[in-house]
Amino acid sequence: MIRNFFIIAIVAGLAAIFVTLFWNFGDSTTLTPLATHYADKGAAEVGAPNLVTSIVVTYRGFDTLGEVTILFLVASIVSFFLKREKLQKDIELKRETSEIILTASKLLVPIVMVLGVYVFINGHLTPGGGFQGGAIIATAFVLLLMANPDFKINHRIISIVESVSGISFVLVGVFGILLAGGFLDNKVLPLGTFGKIFSAGAIPLIYSFVGLKVGSELSNILSNFQGIQKEEM
Amino acid sequence: MANIILQIAGGIMLLSIVLSTFRFFKAGSLVDRVVAFDVMTVASISLIALISHFAGRTIYIDVAIIYGLLSFLGVIIIARYLEKSL
Amino acid sequence: MEIIKIIGALITLLGSVFLLLGSIGLIRMPDVFTRIQTGTKASTLGTLLSLLGIGIIYFDIAGKIFLLIVFILITNPVSSHMLARAAHYIGVKKADVTVVDELEDFENEKLNNKTKISE
Amino acid sequence: MNLIIIIVLSLIMVVMAVTAIIHKKLAVAVIATGVVSLMASVMYLLMAAPDVAMTEAAIGSGLSTIIFFYVLNKIRKAK
C-alpha cells in the first residue's frame, strides 16, 4: 500500500516536472556566439561542406581522440575477458550454412567494404564519417562469420592495422602543432577546391585513420564474441 | 500535383508501418516479430526516400543504404541465433 | 518536366500500395511461413517501385538509387530465406492447410541416405 | 506531413520502449530496442540531422542488436 503510494507520488512528481518543461518549451531561434562563428566562418576556415565533420574533426578534435581511446579500451577489455577455448562438441552441434547465404556473402562483402570506405573518405562531403564507416566495415566481417562459422579473422593483421592507424592519427595531430595552428589542425595539407574529394586539408586523411581503427576494433570485438568459450560458472 | 500524390504515398507507407507494429504485438512466435521488424525496416527505407524528397536534400539517400545493410545483418543474426548455431 | 514528376509520383504511389498490401498480408495470413512470404515479396516490390519513382523525379541521383535497388534485391530474399529456414528448424507450427514441405522431405532423404551408407 | 510522421513514429517508439521493459523474453526486448533505434533514426532525419541518423542506424539498430544477440547466445550456452 505504502509502496504503491510512493510509486504514484514519484510518477506524479515526474509528470509535474515534465509538464512544466513542456509548457515552457520554445524553439530557440538565435544562435549562441560560438555557433554563429561555426556557421559563418566554419566553411571558409576548414573548407568542408559538411559542417558537422569540420566541427567533429577540427574544432573538437580532442573529443574524437577521446572517443577512439574509449573504443580501444573497450576492445582490449573484451578481448581480455573473453578468452577463446575451443570445445569440439559445440562446433559439431552447429548447423551448416545454406548455399544461398554463401553466394550472397561472396557477392556482398566486397560491396560492403567499398561502401564503408566510401562513407569515411567522403566524410567531409556527405553525411557519415569514420565511426559509421568503421561500423560498416565491421559488419562485412560479421557477414563473413555468418556465411562460414569457422572463419577466423587474422588477429595479427587486425592489430597491425589498428596500431598503425592510431599512431598515424596522433602523428597528424602533432604535425598540426608543428606546421599549423594547433593539435589536429587540418591545414597541414592545402585546403584545395571547395567540394572536391581531395580538399579540406587533412580531414579525409584523419577520417580514414579513424575509420580503419574503429573498423578493426569493432571486428576484433565481434570475433571475440563469436568464439565458443569455456564457462567457469 | 506531384507533391500531393507523394504525400498520399507517404501516408500509406506510415499506415503499413503501423500495421506491422500490430503484428509485432499479436505475434505467435519470435519469428513473427522478426518478420514484422523486417517489413518495418523496408517501409522505413521508402519513407526515408520520400523524406529526402520533401526536405529537398537528395543526400539523405546515403542513410537509406546504410539502414538497409544493417537491418539485413540484424535479421540474419537473429535467424542464426534461432537455429542455435551462431 | 511536370509530366515526368507526376509519372514518378504515381510509380511511388503504386509502390506504397504494394507495401500496404504486404503489411495487410502480414496481419491476415494464417501461419509464419505465409507471413514471411507476403512480408518479403510484396514489400520488396513496393520498395523497389517507390525508390524507382524517386529516382525518376531526381534523375541526378539515379546511380545511388540503382545501387540501393540492387542492394535490396539481393539482401531481402536472403534474409527471408534465412528466417524461414530457422523457423523450420525450430519447429514452428504450420497452418492446417499446408500440403507440401520440401525442406522436410529433403532432410528425411539425406537422413535415409546416411543410414543406408552406414548399413 | 512532417508533424504526422513525427507523432506516429514517436507513439510507436513509446510503445516499443515499454515493451522492451516489461516483456519477459530477452530476445523480444532486444528486437524492440532495435525498433526504437530505427524510428529514432527516421526522426533525426526529419529534424535535418543526417549524420546523427546515420550513426543511430549503424550503431543503435545494427551493431548493438548484433552484439546483444551474441551475448544472448553465450548466456544460453552457459545455462
Side-chain angles (χ1 to χ4, degrees):
Chain A
M1 187 63 208
I2 290 177
R3 193 160 160 265
N4 281 345
F5 176 76
F6 268 119
I7 290 174
I8 290 171
I10 289 172
V11 168
L14 286 178
I17 293 171
F18 177 73
V19 165
T20 50
L21 278 178
F22 186 75
W23 282 118
N24 294 329
F25 176 75
D27 281 340
S28 67
T29 47
T30 55
L31 293 174
T32 56
L34 192 65
T36 321
H37 178 84
Y38 289 160
D40 289 343
K41 295 176 189 157
E45 274 182 8
V46 181
N50 187 356
L51 199 58
V52 177
T53 301
S54 66
I55 290 175
V56 166
V57 176
T58 308
Y59 292 120
R60 296 273 184 267
F62 259 125
D63 288 9
T64 311
L65 189 61
E67 284 162 21
V68 170
T69 315
I70 288 171
L71 203 60
F72 170 69
L73 278 178
V74 169
S76 23
I77 288 171
V78 165
S79 57
F80 177 70
F81 276 109
L82 298 177
K83 274 186 215 151
R84 302 181 73 170
E85 270 180 59
K86 274 207 167 171
L87 296 182
Q88 200 59 40
K89 193 187 76 193
D90 281 342
I91 291 168
E92 279 171 8
L93 273 178
K94 279 188 178 178
R95 225 179 269 284
E96 72 222 34
T97 48
S98 66
E99 194 85 7
I100 295 174
I101 180 79
L102 270 176
T103 314
S105 80
K106 268 179 206 155
L107 240 154
L108 279 177
V109 166
I111 300 180
V112 173
M113 287 278 188
V114 172
L115 187 69
V117 173
Y118 163 79
V119 166
F120 66 66
I121 285 190
N122 273 320
H124 56 297
L125 304 177
T126 56
F131 290 94
Q132 293 93 324
I136 292 165
I137 286 181
T139 54
F141 281 107
V142 176
L143 200 55
L144 277 178
L145 291 179
M146 283 300 100
N148 179 9
D150 297 330
F151 176 80
K152 271 208 227 47
I153 297 172
N154 194 336
H155 280 275
R156 178 162 304 198
I157 291 178
I158 284 211
S159 64
I160 287 174
V161 167
E162 200 222 312
S163 338
V164 168
S165 51
I167 289 173
S168 317
F169 178 35
V170 178
L171 274 184
V172 171
V174 174
F175 275 125
I177 295 181
L178 297 178
L179 302 176
F183 190 67
L184 281 175
D185 196 330
N186 73 322
K187 285 189 268 308
V188 181
L189 299 173
L191 281 187
T193 340
F194 188 78
K196 291 280 187 295
I197 280 193
F198 294 106
S199 68
I203 285 183
L205 204 63
I206 292 174
Y207 249 179
S208 310
F209 291 140
V210 173
L212 284 177
K213 192 167 164 62
V214 171
S216 49
E217 273 162 0
L218 285 178
S219 29
N220 199 5
I221 290 177
L222 287 169
S223 77
N224 275 323
F225 271 117
Q226 190 249 352
I228 297 150
Q229 113 199 62
K230 206 173 166 183
E231 301 295 338
E232 291 166 1
M233 283 182 260
Chain B
M1 184 65 192
N3 250 344
I4 297 172
I5 298 174
L6 283 178
Q7 283 194 356
I8 295 170
I12 293 175
M13 283 169 197
L14 213 56
L15 192 62
S16 69
I17 291 180
V18 173
L19 285 181
S20 39
T21 317
F22 279 136
R23 173 45 78 193
F24 191 96
F25 287 107
K26 235 180 63 182
S29 68
L30 191 58
V31 183
D32 269 332
R33 295 179 209 266
V34 183
V35 175
F37 175 71
D38 202 12
V39 173
M40 260 185 234
T41 318
V42 169
S44 315
I45 290 173
S46 319
L47 198 61
I48 287 177
L50 272 191
I51 288 170
S52 80
H53 165 76
F54 288 133
R57 297 174 69 181
T58 51
I59 221 159
Y60 287 0
I61 296 288
D62 277 20
V63 183
I65 298 176
I66 285 158
Y67 209 80
L69 164 68
L70 284 146
S71 75
F72 158 70
L73 269 161
V75 171
I76 282 190
I77 285 274
I78 297 169
R80 294 295 281 174
Y81 168 79
L82 286 173
E83 286 181 5
K84 297 195 169 63
S85 53
L86 195 68
Chain C
M1 211 58 232
E2 188 66 26
I3 296 291
I4 293 175
K5 274 191 179 176
I6 288 178
I7 289 172
L10 282 177
I11 290 176
T12 307
L13 186 67
L14 189 67
S16 66
V17 169
F18 272 108
L19 276 175
L20 183 67
L21 287 179
S23 56
I24 287 174
L26 207 62
I27 286 189
R28 298 268 309 162
M29 284 288 181
D31 72 335
V32 170
F33 298 97
T34 46
R35 274 178 217 139
I36 290 174
Q37 180 253 10
T38 178
T40 307
K41 275 186 189 165
S43 64
T44 307
L45 182 60
T47 318
L48 294 192
L49 283 178
S50 45
L51 288 173
L52 195 70
I54 298 288
I56 287 173
I57 294 175
Y58 294 98
F59 202 69
D60 49 334
I61 54 161
K64 254 180 211 173
I65 294 274
F66 179 72
L67 184 71
L68 188 52
I69 284 178
V70 169
F71 211 70
I72 287 173
L73 211 52
I74 297 174
T75 58
N76 231 352
V78 173
S79 65
S80 80
H81 154 76
M82 291 295 288
L83 210 55
R85 212 175 88 112
H88 183 272
Y89 282 142
I90 62 174
V92 174
K93 233 178 22 192
K94 299 184 200 72
D96 299 332
V97 292
T98 310
V99 183
V100 60
D101 186 345
E102 290 196 350
L103 183 54
E104 190 149 16
D105 297 344
F106 176 70
E107 294 270 305
N108 284 338
E109 204 173 300
K110 225 164 59 177
L111 215 65
N112 284 338
N113 283 344
K114 253 185 201 167
T115 47
K116 257 181 207 167
I117 289 168
S118 62
E119 277 168 9
Chain D
M1 187 67 201
N2 277 4
L3 193 66
I4 298 172
I5 295 178
I6 286 180
I7 289 173
V8 172
L9 291 190
S10 50
L11 278 181
I12 294 176
M13 271 173 77
V14 169
V15 172
M16 286 293 170
V18 172
T19 311
I21 294 170
I22 64 174
H23 207 281
K24 286 215 174 69
K25 274 188 182 169
L26 278 177
V28 177
V30 173
I31 298 175
T33 47
V35 175
V36 171
S37 299
L38 223 64
M39 301 300 158
S41 151
V42 176
M43 282 182 34
Y44 284 133
L45 208 57
L46 279 173
M47 293 162 186
D51 289 84
V52 189
M54 206 180 251
T55 313
E56 183 75 34
I59 307 289
S61 169
L63 269 179
S64 69
T65 309
I66 292 171
I67 288 181
F68 269 132
F69 269 99
Y70 271 126
V71 173
L72 283 186
N73 194 37
K74 278 204 180 296
I75 293 172
R76 184 167 67 188
K77 284 227 173 77
K79 267 178 192 169

